[in-house]
Amino acid sequence: MTSFAGAPFGGPSLSLPALDERARDIFRRIVEAYLQTGEPVGSRTLSLTGVALSPASIRNTMQDLTLAGLLGSPHSSAGRIPTHAGLRLFVDGLLEIGDIGAEERREIDARLAGSGRNFEEALNEASSLLSGLAGGASIVASPIREAGVKHVEFVALGRDQALAVLVADDGTVENRLMPLKAGVTPSTLQEASNFLNARLKGRPLHEARTEMRTELDAARRELNETAARLVEDGMAAWSGGAERERALIVRGRANLLHDRETAEDLERVRVLFDDLEQKEQLIGLLDGVSTAQGVRIFIGAETRLFSLSGSAVIAAPYMTGRQRVLGAIGVIGPARLNYARVIPLVDYTARVLGRILDGQET
């Protein structure tokens, strides 16, 4: 069975073990019916599903579950739907998760294996594939490339401008124009280049930044002031590829309009679409997922980003065969997601994506 973890949620006054057998059975039936139909579930509907209780006894149990914060009433209907806290309790303790079918496995394997040899093609294909299979919007954050620095150099372009060049071990090159102050000579440019090459070679730039500040303070006695300033400016100019690598891919927004409950609440749809434009926050959410050992599930207010739209997120890290996390991929949709189907889809897609990207690392 797929392993997954939830996010802490404060709300219900009852835990699953505290529910007696009758309450647990009714609660499970209500949630399963709601996830299937999206409609409030009433006592008469439950009595037709084989519950060996009178409608009055069912109503009393439903009232207890409502007072406990597990069920709510969306309007004047006598029916109930699970609250976000109730959904969390169901997902954590009552949801039966199977596995995806052989046909879906073959489709995921074939499409990702044939998606090309670079990171971007594989990530785009995985995102499109998952949104189509899961019926929601998919999100994937590209991995942080951790190639070390191979060579750095400052090249004079005139009396007042230089080109700061950084070449990484994976072959990527960053060029940044820098202003030059008066008094900078070719020997000063070479001195700054030598200083950085001696300390950066083989190290990812993002890891070296903090240590370099300390090293530069200690080395000012060796460097002249102009060369030291060049080193500082160069370190500030280079991104180390982080800006380019941290792409966020979102696919399948149109799928969010197909859900009846969502379509009837246009304001919630607008809020959700706005949420999907928050690149930095979405990458932050996925980076948090990357620390998990399995699938992570967030429902409603469990994430600040989707609290107003009441959406759910199911995400999993994708990693190399050596268990080094590269990034995360997930599905966003209404809280009434088909968790039993989407959880194994996300999990399997993440594992296949990790294997594909693992073979592309340099």
Side-chain angles (χ1 to χ4, degrees):
M1 179 181 290
T2 301
S3 64
F4 65 91
F9 198 115
S13 59
L14 284 179
S15 62
L16 193 61
L19 298 179
D20 61 27
E21 185 176 349
R22 171 194 295 183
R24 186 179 303 197
D25 180 56
I26 289 177
F27 175 66
R28 178 184 57 79
R29 290 173 184 266
I30 290 174
V31 176
E32 288 177 346
Y34 171 72
L35 292 178
Q36 182 177 0
T37 67
E39 298 289 341
V41 181
S43 57
R44 182 174 296 277
T45 300
L46 284 176
S47 65
L48 297 176
T49 64
V51 178
L53 295 171
S54 68
S57 296
I58 294 174
R59 284 194 295 271
N60 289 336
T61 302
M62 291 173 65
Q63 181 64 21
D64 292 339
L65 293 169
T66 301
L67 292 175
L70 300 177
L71 300 179
S73 179
H75 42 67
S76 58
S77 166
R80 295 289 186 271
I81 64 173
T83 62
H84 289 164
L87 284 172
R88 164 56 63 196
L89 192 67
F90 174 82
V91 167
D92 287 348
L94 294 174
L95 181 65
E96 295 182 3
I97 303 173
D99 204 349
I100 62 175
E103 184 176 341
E104 288 177 327
R105 284 176 178 267
R106 285 193 294 269
E107 180 178 0
I108 293 171
D109 291 342
R111 287 182 59 178
L112 290 185
S115 62
R117 289 189 173 273
N118 64 58
F119 276 69
E120 289 74 18
E121 289 175 344
L123 294 175
N124 272 288
E125 187 64 31
S127 184
S128 297
L129 171 67
L130 191 55
S131 68
L133 290 174
S138 67
I139 53 173
V140 56
S142 63
I144 299 176
R145 300 299 295 274
E146 297 186 345
V149 174
K150 183 177 182 180
H151 179 74
V152 296
E153 186 173 358
F154 296 103
V155 181
L157 299 180
R159 289 183 301 176
D160 59 355
Q161 195 173 56
L163 188 66
V165 183
L166 182 148
V167 182
D169 287 334
D170 63 0
T172 58
V173 179
E174 267 197 71
N175 298 315
R176 293 288 188 271
L177 289 173
M178 294 173 47
L180 286 182
K181 295 185 178 180
V184 177
T185 64
S187 62
T188 302
L189 293 173
Q190 189 61 53
E191 183 180 6
S193 299
N194 291 342
F195 178 86
L196 284 172
N197 278 311
R199 290 160 176 80
L200 293 182
K201 190 170 183 179
R203 301 170 64 187
L205 184 65
H206 68 89
E207 291 182 0
R209 286 187 190 279
T210 302
E211 296 177 20
M212 277 297 300
R213 294 191 188 98
T214 303
E215 292 181 26
L216 183 57
D217 289 338
R220 284 187 184 276
R221 292 185 298 273
E222 305 172 22
L223 291 170
N224 69 51
E225 187 58 35
T226 304
R229 190 178 302 114
L230 266 175
V231 170
E232 289 180 329
D233 292 345
M235 291 294 292
W238 291 312
S239 71
E243 294 174 357
R244 179 171 60 255
E245 299 299 341
R246 298 318 308 277
L248 177 74
I249 302 169
V250 182
R251 294 285 185 273
R253 289 179 176 87
N255 291 334
L256 301 173
L257 298 173
H258 297 162
D259 181 76
R260 175 178 177 179
E261 179 184 348
T262 305
E264 291 176 351
D265 189 346
L266 296 181
E267 177 60 20
R268 188 152 60 87
V269 174
R270 184 192 66 77
V271 171
L272 177 54
F273 274 50
D274 287 345
D275 291 342
L276 292 174
E277 297 298 323
Q278 305 303 310
K279 177 181 176 180
E280 291 185 4
Q281 292 188 53
L282 283 169
I283 289 178
L285 175 66
L286 291 177
D287 283 348
V289 169
S290 297
T291 63
Q293 295 300 312
V295 179
R296 290 290 305 274
I297 302 167
F298 304 92
I299 302 174
E302 291 177 354
T303 65
R304 184 189 309 174
L305 181 59
F306 296 109
S307 59
L308 293 179
S309 64
S311 304
V313 181
I314 299 174
Y318 57 90
M319 61 189 69
T320 70
R322 298 174 297 279
Q323 300 300 298
R324 185 175 73 81
V325 173
L326 298 172
I329 186 170
V331 170
I332 298 173
R336 194 179 65 82
L337 274 172
N338 187 340
Y339 295 94
R341 170 175 164 74
V342 176
I343 288 172
L345 276 175
V346 170
D347 179 61
Y348 188 73
T349 302
R351 286 191 277 125
V352 174
L353 180 61
R355 290 200 298 269
I356 296 296
L357 297 184
D358 192 14
Q360 299 171 10
E361 290 197 308
T362 57

